[in-house]
Structure formats: C-alpha cells, structure tokens
Amino acid sequence: MPASLSRRAVLVSGAALAALTATGPVLAQAAPDRSTILATMKRAAAFMTDEVAVGGGYVWQVLPDFSRRWGELEAKPTMIWVQPPGTATVGHVYLDAYHATGDEQFYTAAKACADALIAGQHPRGGWNYVIDTAGEESLKDWYETVGGNAWRLEEFQHYDGNATFDDAGTAEASQLLLRVYLEKRERKYRRPLDRAIQFVLDAQYPNGGWPQRFPFVEGGGLHGNPDYTPYITFNDDVAGENIEFLLYVHQALGSNDRRLVDAIQRGMDIFVATQQPMPQPAWGLQHFPDTLKPAPARTIEPQAFATHTTATNIRSMIGFYRLTGDRKYLARLPEALDWLDQVKTPQRLIAPGRTHPTFILEGSNTPVYIHRRGSNIRNGRYYADDNPNNVVIHYGSFRNLDTAAIRAEYEAAAALTPEAVIATSPLKARPGSLALPKYFTLRDVSIWDMNTEGRRPRPVAASRAGELVSGLNARGYWPTMLTTTSNPYIGPSPEAVTGGEFQTTRVGDLWDTSPYNTDFPVEGISTQTFIQNMGDLIEALQA
C-alpha cells in the first residue's frame, strides 16, 4: 500500500483480522491526571508483556483464556506475527510510550519485541510473515495444515523458507531495529540492523525494482502457475516502503554510503521505466523484471493494469520530484491521470466506492472482475472475466479513486521549482541532519515527518483518557469484540464440493481456514486496540 495507506499505521490499517469495538458503553469521564494515565499505560503494557507475549512477540488477537490466537490466520501457541499490527507495531508503540514518559518499562518492552524479531530474522536479513518460536519444522507443519487450507490466502499455502517485502512486515521490523538501536546505541542491535539494510540492498534488481520475496527459491509457484514472487512488485507499496527505510537509514545514521543513495535513486527510477507507453500509460501490481511489462501474481491477480496501483504510483512519483527536483518524475503523470479518467467504472455499475474497476486488460482497456467456484482450496478455482456480477468480496474488483484530488496534488507539485523542492528534501539534506519522527504509531508517519513529533492532526478529546482508564479491566486489557473468526484446521480439504455456494463469501466449507465475519462476536484481546488506546493516552499526556 502507499505510504498514506500503510498497514503500519493501525489507525487506518486494513490488516487486522477482527473489526474491533469496545465491549459495551463507557460513560464519559473527566480527564485523569498524568500519574493516573501513566499507571494505566504501565498496567496495560505489563499485561501484554507478561501474559500475551510469546518470546517477546505478538499475534494480532487472542482469546482471554489463550485457547485460540490469530494473526492473518489462526496461529499456533508458539507463533508470533511480523505483519502489522503484530510484533514490530507493538514494539513501536512501546518505544513511543518511552518517548512520551521516559519510563524504562516501555523501553524494555520495545527491546523484547526487537529481540523476538531478531530471533526470527532470516539469515539474509529480512522477515517472513510469521515466526514460530518452536522452530522451522513446526512452522512447516503450520504451512501444510492451517496455511495450506486457507483458500483465499494464497501467500500462506506454501512454505518457501525465505523472506518477504509484502505487507510492510520487513520494512516495519527493520524500522523498529533502527529506532531501538538509535535510542541507546546498544551494540547488540547494530549487526541485525546492518543485515536488514543489506537485505534491502541485495534484493534490489540492477534496474531498481524489488521482488516480493527474497532470496529466490527453486520450484515456486502454485496451482500450475509460475512463481510470481521474483517479479518487480509495486503491490502493497513494496518499493515505496524500501525507499522510505533507506532514507531513514541515510539520515538517522548520518551515512554517506553511496550504496544507499544509489539504491534510492534506482528505486525511484524503476517507476519511470515501468510506466507503459501510450495509449495505456499505467502500471500493474507486478512487472516482469526483463520486459518490464505487467505480470500476473496470485490467481486473484491477473496479468493486467491495476488502477489503484497506478494511482499510488502517481502519488509516489510526485513525492520523488519533491525529493530530487527532477521533473522526469512528473513528465508523464498527466497521461496516467487521463488514462484513469478513461477507464472509470461504466455508468451502469457506479456505486459508492466503485469509481474504477481494479483490473484493466493490456491492449484493450477492458475491465475484468474476480470470481471463484468450488468450496475449498482443493476443488475451488479463482478466475477473471468481464462479468461484473457475483464477484468475490474478499478482494475488490472495484476501487475508489479520487483522480481530481491526485490531479490537484500533481499541479501543486508541478508549480514548484526544482530549487524550492530540493530545499526541503530529506534526500538532499546533509546526512545526519534530520532525526526520525518522535512517534511512529500516533499516525502514519513518513520521511516528510522527520524532525517532527509525528503527532495526530487533532487532539484527543479530554474525556477519552478517562474512558480508557476506567475501561481497562481487572486483568489489565481493554476488552474488544472480535467480529471475525476462522474454522479450526480439521484435516486436508476434500476433493468433493461441499456445503453450498461460496462464490461471494469470505470463507468456503468447514475445511477452509480463511477468516470470516461471524454473527457471534466474542470478547478478546487485540494488539490493534492496545496500540490505538496507548496512542490516545500518549496524546493525552501531552494535552
């Protein structure tokens, strides 16, 4: 996702398993004093570190008796999650709490998260979606059982043993190591941080693109399709996240390492190189590394242009102009904006949130939509065609794009002289002259927030802290209703179609381990709720 929609920011995260709400009304409270707020934060953090954490790390949600736990899928008791809002996100909020209070309890908790990530770091320096503290054989078993039966989550259906840039997991973990190291310059964190930096550099193609997964493996690919993970990936803002991390390193470590600047420059230039010629000046989710043409990925992602990726890349290139003052990043953006206007959703299909079809075929501007048939991973199949009816609901066949707003952003940037943008560019500033944002979880911060606190644009209501103080229960967590669940693994999926029609559902038959919305929410413990509420209390401390 683009920086403005990063799953790293829990306030806007789309990654959480559950839709999260409080377990009942809480009466408005008077604002508590600082000592009461701090005591509440410390008690909530102690519950997380002492009872919820596994080896210092976290999944996304757990039941109060710890009988079940989930990240994007149900996790083993020995597993922790790297994808936000998992271990690194919780580590970031602990470090934010330390910055707000100076209390060593929070710094110790942040280090425990970093230590958990280091224990699961790939030897080359990146991270997989998950870490199993019981070891690789236990993780392989999980992939063969729970992951292998998650019909709609193809990225979990096969264990590759490498690391991924998907979903900002490696980026967020790397940023946490950078922040923890910078805090007190403890030597134990420098080597894992250097490995993370080297991983980003090693994985980059000479032309500047990054794959989804690295190092590459033999025999990849699923369902008769070739392995898409080596393709140049824009999906989930892989390139943007890596550029951001390298810029943080370049500034925060005061590094004059030309490798960093070169990697950043090539990472930006691949956006120019992969924008396709007229009459379709757009981008796909992935591109072939050799031809630079759009490439297919998962079976729900056909070989096509992606309208939301095109919109994201336009905004990224506006940012690249602000970083460099080089107008080559702006030169063809009007073409891409005009194309987005040309391929808008047909009038008969327009509805709220459906301004554009997600996928447009190369060569024809024909929209295609995603469908499925069957009941589970073994007998089911995803496919794309031009029928806009009965599309899957877990992957959007339509997108909501404000092209007028993007065009305004372009025009505002284009009106600036190169000299004006360079004057405020984090890339052009002297290395070491800019500090990281003070806070990483109050909102979705970026390189443009360096030398700032990274506070929320609007203050927290005075009564909010009182609600949170009174809402923390006796055990020390904020009860959250988990409105999604999943089928427990009950064995390999059968070949026969069972259980009815699953064209538009989030889950298939009883063998499908994918998460789904439930009519019977239960109380649970949520990292996303914890991060949100701790952020509110951090803001309240500064009111």
Side-chain angles (χ1 to χ4, degrees):
M1 288 190 173
S4 61
L5 296 175
S6 170
R7 296 187 192 191
R8 188 178 64 247
V10 298
L11 299 183
V12 292
S13 173
L17 174 67
L20 306 168
T21 58
T23 58
V26 179
L27 297 177
Q29 303 287 323
D33 59 25
R34 182 180 178 87
S35 63
T36 302
I37 293 174
L38 177 58
T40 300
M41 293 171 63
K42 288 172 65 68
R43 195 159 66 88
F47 176 81
M48 295 294 285
T49 57
D50 297 350
E51 297 196 44
V52 178
V54 174
Y58 301 86
V59 291
W60 294 355
Q61 280 89 32
V62 298
L63 294 183
D65 64 358
F66 303 114
S67 59
R68 297 187 75 186
R69 59 185 67 224
W70 294 269
E72 193 162 9
L73 288 170
E74 184 166 8
K76 287 185 173 184
T78 54
M79 291 172 66
I80 62 175
W81 230 253
V82 180
Q83 279 174 297
T87 301
T89 325
V90 176
H92 280 297
V93 84
Y94 286 143
L95 205 52
D96 289 353
Y98 177 64
H99 287 171
T101 66
D103 193 297
E104 290 291 329
Q105 176 186 340
F106 300 120
Y107 179 61
T108 300
K111 290 203 303 178
C113 291
D115 293 342
L117 291 168
I118 291 168
Q121 188 177 22
H122 189 277
R124 292 293 296 270
W127 282 269
N128 189 20
Y129 299 105
V130 297
I131 296 167
D132 193 331
T133 62
E136 188 172 31
E137 291 307 310
S138 179
L139 183 59
K140 287 179 179 178
D141 174 75
W142 180 87
Y143 268 91
E144 291 173 359
T145 54
V146 176
N149 283 271
W151 185 16
R152 68 177 176 86
L153 293 169
E154 196 165 309
E155 57 270 40
F156 292 106
Q157 293 169 13
H158 178 69
Y159 177 66
D160 289 320
N162 56 6
T164 181
F165 290 113
D166 191 32
D167 287 348
T170 285
E172 187 172 52
S174 301
Q175 289 177 9
L176 180 64
L177 291 191
L178 176 61
R179 293 184 76 204
V180 169
Y181 171 71
L182 291 171
E183 199 62 46
K184 298 186 179 181
R185 303 275 176 166
E186 294 188 55
R187 291 173 59 88
K188 64 179 285 191
Y189 295 110
R190 185 57 192 258
R191 187 172 180 183
L193 171 60
D194 286 342
R195 283 203 304 267
I197 296 168
Q198 193 63 48
F199 178 77
V200 177
L201 298 176
D202 289 344
Q204 189 180 31
Y205 284 110
N207 63 19
W210 275 281
Q212 189 196 79
R213 299 190 70 94
F214 186 79
F216 304 137
V217 297
E218 296 292 333
L222 289 169
H223 311 302
N225 298 318
D227 183 9
Y228 66 87
T229 62
Y231 299 158
I232 292 170
T233 302
F234 293 111
N235 192 21
D236 282 328
D237 201 29
V238 161
E241 293 283 359
N242 288 339
I243 290 169
E244 180 176 284
F245 172 62
L246 293 178
L247 269 166
Y248 280 148
V249 171
H250 175 62
Q251 276 296 336
L253 295 182
S255 173
N256 285 303
D257 190 340
R258 291 301 306 173
R259 297 178 310 155
L260 299 180
V261 177
D262 175 66
I264 292 166
Q265 186 66 59
R266 287 186 293 115
M268 295 186 292
D269 286 350
I270 195 62
F271 286 71
V272 177
T274 50
Q275 185 179 7
Q276 298 301 290
M278 291 289 285
Q280 292 181 299
W283 290 267
L285 294 173
Q286 295 80 212
H287 287 248
F288 291 111
D290 48 0
T291 67
L292 303 186
K293 293 289 187 182
R298 295 174 294 182
T299 52
I300 55 174
E301 295 163 332
Q303 185 170 346
F305 294 108
T307 56
H308 62 300
T309 301
T310 296
T312 296
N313 286 7
I314 291 170
R315 282 192 156 121
S316 294
M317 293 174 76
I318 293 170
F320 299 159
Y321 173 63
R322 293 176 61 201
L323 284 172
T324 64
D326 193 331
R327 299 189 77 88
K328 71 182 179 182
Y329 298 112
L330 301 180
R332 296 188 60 214
L333 298 190
E335 297 174 18
L337 285 162
D338 290 345
W339 179 81
L340 284 174
D341 287 339
Q342 291 169 17
V343 299
K344 289 175 66 175
T345 299
Q347 188 65 38
R348 63 187 173 82
L349 298 176
I350 289 179
R354 292 170 55 145
T355 64
H356 290 73
T358 296
F359 294 115
I360 303 291
L361 290 181
E362 188 176 7
S364 67
N365 275 354
T366 301
V368 291
Y369 310 95
I370 309 304
H371 309 271
R372 73 179 182 184
R373 61 172 63 98
S375 66
N376 60 53
I377 190 172
R378 194 166 186 186
N379 59 54
R381 186 173 76 87
Y382 284 89
Y383 62 97
D385 62 23
D386 61 0
N387 178 8
N389 300 310
N390 295 323
V391 296
V392 298
I393 64 171
H394 59 78
Y395 190 95
S397 282
F398 295 90
R399 302 288 160 154
N400 188 35
L401 307 176
D402 190 345
T403 54
I406 301 173
R407 195 179 293 273
E409 291 176 27
Y410 160 77
E411 291 171 352
L416 299 173
T417 65
E419 293 76 16
V421 298
I422 287 174
T424 59
S425 167
L427 179 60
K428 298 298 183 180
R430 177 175 53 83
S433 63
L434 300 178
L436 297 186
K438 182 177 181 179
Y439 302 117
F440 266 59
T441 59
L442 303 187
R443 60 182 176 84
D444 190 12
V445 296
S446 74
I447 55 171
W448 305 102
D449 296 302
M450 285 195 280
N451 270 8
T452 76
E453 288 195 336
R455 297 276 300 278
R456 292 176 183 162
R458 290 179 295 277
V460 173
S463 62
R464 176 63 175 158
E467 294 174 358
L468 293 176
V469 167
S470 62
L472 193 71
N473 68 13
R475 287 181 63 189
Y477 67 87
W478 286 287
T480 300
M481 295 308 293
L482 307 183
T483 60
T484 64
T485 187
S486 63
N487 295 326
Y489 175 71
I490 57 174
S493 298
E495 293 184 8
V497 175
T498 65
E501 177 55 63
F502 302 101
Q503 263 190 318
T504 62
T505 59
R506 291 185 179 275
V507 68
D509 59 27
L510 292 176
W511 285 266
D512 183 5
T513 56
S514 307
Y516 64 91
N517 297 334
T518 177
D519 294 329
F520 306 99
V522 297
E523 180 186 302
I525 301 154
S526 160
T527 57
Q528 185 164 337
T529 296
F530 174 74
I531 294 159
Q532 169 72 60
N533 292 351
M534 290 287 281
D536 286 349
L537 292 175
I538 289 169
E539 288 280 10
L541 285 173
Q542 300 168 95

